[in-house]
Amino acid sequence: MNYRQIGKTDLNVSELSFGTWAIGGSWGSTDDQESLRALDYAMGNGVNFFDTADVYGDGHAEELLAKATKGRNSEIQIATKFCRAGDIHNPATYSLESVTKYAEASLKRLEREQIDLFQIHCPPIEILRDGQVFDVLNRLKEQGKIRYYGVSVETVEEGLLCLENPDVSSLQVIFNMFRQKPIEELFPKAQEKGVGILARVPLASGLLTGKFKVDSEFEEDDHRNFNRDGAAFNVGETFAGLEFRKGVELSDKLAWIENNRGNRTRAALRWILEHQAVSSVIPGFKNVKQVEDNLQALNAAPFTEEELSRLEQFYVEEVRPEIRGPY
């Protein structure tokens, strides 16, 4: 395992880490015991960083992390998020009183005294423009409830706005072979400002695993069923904003990336790891097998300059025109 620093912080995290949305809920059926085994397997293989949120299973993902990391709080760093349990458009959701309650509730579920990285969970751009939430987060830092804070954003515009605040330590962005826009301006600016990048939805909700067919179906409580057109939340969070059938078609055109890399999953993660602006890539998981497969990306062959150019051209010509929603 290799480790990378999150921006200017002293958080040195595994370059391949894991997100816990899937084990919390909204990804179909889960098995808590298998989730705990998978978390243990990840930590046993050098993973020292996990991303979660208070709304993943209404706090269940945080509780699972507490069980998995018990006695290892000093070794394992956790990032969690807040605001989507309330009205994200109401400024009161971002008041000192409200954010303090969110932080204390997460701390209780995580069984920790301090949150390593506290992230605003995809707030509207008007909240970021107002900026008062950053003053609130600075208060929580002063109180010792959080070490650092960052923002999970939906668009490059939101990310660039956050970079204007010198106390923002990280940006969490949708980044994968289907969503290459952050490379152009956001990544260089983040590196210039010393802000870490956490790459979420790295496999485009599973499209980049190559496992789906155009007639694949998902469980009723899986967001890939109920949010595939953005009905429940931002359309980009599901299949990277691509219409499902089109996404499967585009993924199949990328079958060639598997050469010398084992499978499409490992290749897709390997591609992200080759971007030095990325502090950590955070795929989801539901079992040990998925964790094991994702970790094999660390041993996958790097991409050649010719392959990278081919992927950029593919994105510009075939993928970008198909992406729905602002990004």
Side-chain angles (χ1 to χ4, degrees):
M1 180 63 70
N2 296 315
Y3 298 85
R4 302 184 187 185
Q5 193 173 341
I6 297 182
K8 294 182 291 188
T9 73
D10 61 356
L11 299 176
N12 205 35
V13 303
S14 45
E15 62 180 2
L16 200 152
S17 302
F18 288 92
T20 60
W21 185 11
I23 64 172
S26 297
W27 286 78
S29 56
T30 58
D31 178 334
D32 283 356
Q33 292 309 308
E34 180 63 17
S35 298
L36 290 170
R37 283 191 290 270
L39 286 166
D40 187 64
Y41 182 87
M43 290 185 286
N45 282 274
V47 175
N48 73 341
F49 181 65
F50 295 94
D51 176 78
T52 190
D54 57 1
V55 291
Y56 292 171
D58 293 327
H60 186 57
E62 289 180 326
E63 292 168 345
L64 286 171
L65 279 172
K67 291 180 181 178
T69 63
K70 198 170 188 67
R72 306 162 93 167
N73 286 7
S74 61
E75 306 165 33
I76 308 300
Q77 296 156 110
I78 293 177
T80 192
K81 312 183 202 72
F82 73 95
C83 85
R84 299 194 79 84
D87 178 355
I88 62 170
H89 297 281
N90 186 348
T93 299
Y94 308 90
S95 68
L96 179 61
E97 179 183 11
S98 181
V99 178
T100 298
K101 286 180 179 177
Y102 286 135
E104 290 178 345
S106 285
L107 285 168
K108 184 176 181 179
R109 287 188 293 267
L110 290 166
E111 298 180 23
R112 293 188 169 222
E113 295 181 359
Q114 189 178 55
I115 296 168
D116 295 305
L117 181 64
F118 201 35
Q119 303 161 104
I120 317 173
H121 198 172
C122 301
I125 196 165
E126 59 266 22
I127 296 297
L128 297 173
R129 286 199 183 105
D130 173 76
Q132 291 188 53
V133 65
F134 298 120
D135 296 330
V136 167
L137 288 165
N138 281 326
R139 289 283 301 277
L140 264 64
K141 279 182 73 174
E142 292 167 4
Q143 294 170 9
K145 289 183 171 64
I146 65 176
R147 291 174 69 185
Y148 302 102
Y149 63 81
V151 189
S152 182
V153 298
E154 299 286 3
T155 69
V156 166
E157 181 186 9
E158 291 166 357
L160 291 170
L161 182 60
C162 292
L163 291 178
E164 295 176 10
N165 186 304
D167 296 315
V168 169
S169 295
S170 68
L171 289 177
Q172 188 173 140
V173 302
I174 299 173
F175 182 57
N176 57 55
M177 287 180 172
F178 289 156
R179 294 280 287 235
Q180 299 186 30
K181 186 178 179 180
I183 297 171
E184 302 163 20
E185 185 179 5
L186 186 61
F187 282 8
K189 184 69 72 173
Q191 286 184 290
E192 177 189 322
K193 297 279 189 177
V195 173
I197 297 288
L198 303 179
R200 76 176 185 277
V201 199
L203 299 173
S205 307
L207 281 177
L208 288 167
T209 66
K211 296 175 182 176
F212 298 153
K213 305 299 179 187
V214 292
D215 58 353
S216 294
E217 296 184 357
F218 302 93
E219 294 177 60
E220 187 177 345
D221 62 345
D222 190 322
H223 76 101
R224 293 172 294 185
N225 174 40
F226 66 75
N227 192 61
R228 61 170 64 196
D229 295 316
F233 38 81
N234 187 284
V235 67
E237 297 291 347
T238 307
F239 304 129
L242 295 169
E243 188 275 324
F244 177 68
R245 295 173 70 91
K246 185 65 177 180
V248 172
E249 175 190 321
L250 290 169
S251 178
D252 287 344
K253 289 185 178 183
L254 290 176
W256 63 269
I257 66 175
E258 299 174 14
N259 295 337
N260 302 317
R261 299 184 182 96
N263 59 34
R264 211 170 307 172
T265 297
R266 298 170 194 175
L269 294 174
R270 177 73 256 172
W271 178 83
I272 296 174
L273 289 169
E274 292 185 21
H275 292 82
Q276 290 305 306
V278 174
S279 301
S280 190
V281 54
I282 49 174
F285 67 97
K286 288 171 72 173
N287 53 57
V288 172
K289 184 179 179 182
Q290 289 175 341
V291 170
E292 185 178 21
D293 194 29
N294 289 346
L295 288 172
Q296 286 300 317
L298 300 169
N299 303 316
F303 285 82
T304 66
E305 288 299 323
E306 182 182 352
E307 288 176 319
L308 292 173
S309 296
R310 182 178 173 183
L311 285 166
E312 181 182 5
Q313 184 178 7
F314 173 71
Y315 162 72
V316 170
E317 296 178 358
E318 299 197 49
V319 181
R320 188 167 63 185
E322 303 291 338
I323 297 175
R324 301 172 298 168
Y327 73 106

